[in-house]
Amino acid sequence: MAMMITSIPSGAVRADEGGVSYWLPGRFGSLAATPQVPGWSMAEVYYHTSVSAFGNAAAAREIQVGRIPATVNVDLNLHLNAQADLVLLNPTYTFATPVLGGQLAIGVTGLFGRSSANLDGILTAAVGPLALTRTGSIADSITSVGDLYPQATLKWNAGVHNFMTYVTGDIPVGAYSPTRLANLGIGHAAIDAGGGYTYFNPQAGHEFSAVAGFTYNFKNPDTQYQNGIDFHVDWAASQFLSKQLFVGLVGYGYQQITDDFGQHPALGGFRSRVFSVGPQIGFLFPVGDMQGFLNLKGYGEFAAENRPAGWNTWLTFSISPMAPATVAATRRSTTK
């Protein structure tokens, strides 16, 4: 079972431009690289996040929505709070015919939900000897649909070792405005690619997965801002207590490796970074002649830089084809 879901960018809560990135850490989880049973599968995810930011991460949003020119010197003492509650649908088709000796799967994710944010503090802008100070708060919320996120994966199995490569991206069709504090789209296209590994020993119940990749962001045509290249790694470790139940840990690391282009000079390169770790629990069960799966995982973030940080939870329910009865029960635990 590939315990993962495609990314869920939320315009109010992430970074690069104004605190917004395409890649949402936590996208991949346990058994991410294990092949699945061919056929259609569907994953539904409820995602909640609550984050806050000070300094540049909050200032970037004020600069964007306030349209502060690059020639204006700014001194910002701001605090950003943001939340999002999203529901995702992720249909995926896994092909039975091998491709390059591996298993090809193609899917797309759409989302609907609510994002809200508020910004409090003091902004001082100066042009030469003239200075203007503004104190107060800005609040915004939106309930709508987000961008579309297609994805293709190719997976190989060699006993307890599993390998994968993937490519995904952002089709910017979701609700977005460069003057809003909260959005459900990011306003620009992106492409992301990488690879992963899963160690899974069904007899001992041990599992470990790691998936890493890079994101290239295209220029936002509304703001002429272009995020730098991002590197990210998601990891998960689990222990099966039975053939149906497992517990474990999850985590991620995210580091922007090149500067943004088009940002206000006060922000510098605005390279963002964050790390996280948290618990998870998963349960497999039959749904008629299909395989059902429930997974709850949570992340607590730390060491954030130029990026809002806090915590987030993922509740995933997926249904996929059941492995043939001739296949061992432990093999059935590798369906999505």
Side-chain angles (χ1 to χ4, degrees):
M1 165 198 356
M3 298 173 196
M4 49 73 68
I5 188 68
T6 55
S7 72
I8 317 170
S10 173
V13 299
R14 297 293 164 190
D16 300 339
E17 180 186 5
V20 181
S21 69
Y22 158 69
W23 184 264
L24 182 68
R27 171 173 184 167
F28 289 104
S30 288
L31 297 166
T34 55
Q36 306 170 41
V37 177
W40 283 103
S41 63
M42 173 66 80
E44 299 87 25
V45 175
Y46 166 69
Y47 172 82
H48 173 81
T49 185
S50 179
V51 296
S52 62
F54 298 89
N56 278 0
R61 202 63 177 147
E62 169 73 10
I63 289 171
Q64 178 182 323
V65 300
R67 286 291 186 268
I68 299 171
T71 55
V72 174
N73 296 318
V74 294
D75 179 22
L76 302 119
N77 180 14
L78 299 167
H79 181 204
L80 172 70
N81 286 302
Q83 291 187 341
D85 291 278
L86 307 174
V87 175
L88 294 90
L89 296 177
N90 174 219
T92 300
Y93 186 77
T94 300
F95 294 87
T97 303
V99 175
L100 300 177
Q103 185 186 68
L104 175 66
I106 297 176
V108 64
T109 295
L111 69 87
F112 173 85
R114 182 176 188 273
S115 176
S116 63
N118 65 276
L119 191 63
D120 301 287
I122 301 172
L123 179 147
T124 301
V127 181
L130 302 177
L132 173 66
T133 298
R134 185 171 69 188
T135 303
S137 65
I138 304 172
D140 191 20
S141 65
I142 185 171
T143 300
S144 189
V145 297
D147 294 347
L148 291 176
Y149 316 108
Q151 176 175 285
T153 62
L154 197 57
K155 301 179 179 181
W156 298 266
N157 170 258
V160 297
H161 304 289
N162 302 271
F163 306 90
M164 70 171 287
T165 185
Y166 76 88
V167 61
T168 184
D170 185 288
I171 302 175
V173 296
Y176 170 80
S177 170
T179 60
R180 294 187 63 96
L181 190 61
N183 285 296
L184 287 173
I186 62 174
H188 65 85
I191 187 168
D192 188 283
Y197 169 77
T198 292
Y199 172 84
F200 179 45
N201 186 328
Q203 287 70 39
H206 303 328
E207 180 272 337
F208 174 79
S209 296
V211 181
F214 293 88
T215 303
Y216 177 82
N217 297 282
F218 294 90
K219 184 181 292 185
N220 184 329
D222 293 317
T223 63
Q224 299 303 303
Y225 192 111
Q226 185 172 8
N227 295 345
I229 296 173
D230 304 318
F231 171 77
H232 50 82
V233 58
D234 296 341
W235 62 267
S238 63
Q239 174 65 47
F240 279 79
L241 305 180
S242 69
K243 294 176 181 178
Q244 289 76 41
L245 179 67
F246 70 87
V247 296
L249 293 174
V250 291
Y252 53 72
Y254 177 96
Q255 175 67 62
Q256 185 176 334
I257 59 175
T258 66
D259 291 349
D260 291 351
F261 297 94
Q263 74 276 27
H264 193 284
L267 301 178
F270 203 58
R271 298 191 186 191
S272 55
R273 179 189 69 200
V274 74
F275 298 94
S276 185
V277 67
Q280 70 162 333
I281 184 170
F283 181 65
L284 294 146
F285 55 94
V287 180
D289 60 351
M290 302 288 283
Q291 174 74 72
F293 170 64
L294 276 174
N295 179 232
L296 177 63
K297 59 183 183 178
Y299 297 87
E301 296 182 323
F302 59 93
E305 182 177 339
N306 293 326
R307 183 181 180 93
W311 58 274
N312 57 83
T313 58
W314 308 58
L315 177 61
T316 300
F317 168 70
S318 69
I319 188 168
S320 59
M322 181 77 75
T326 55
V327 179
T330 52
R331 180 71 181 94
R332 289 204 303 269
S333 69
T334 64
T335 61
K336 186 172 181 180

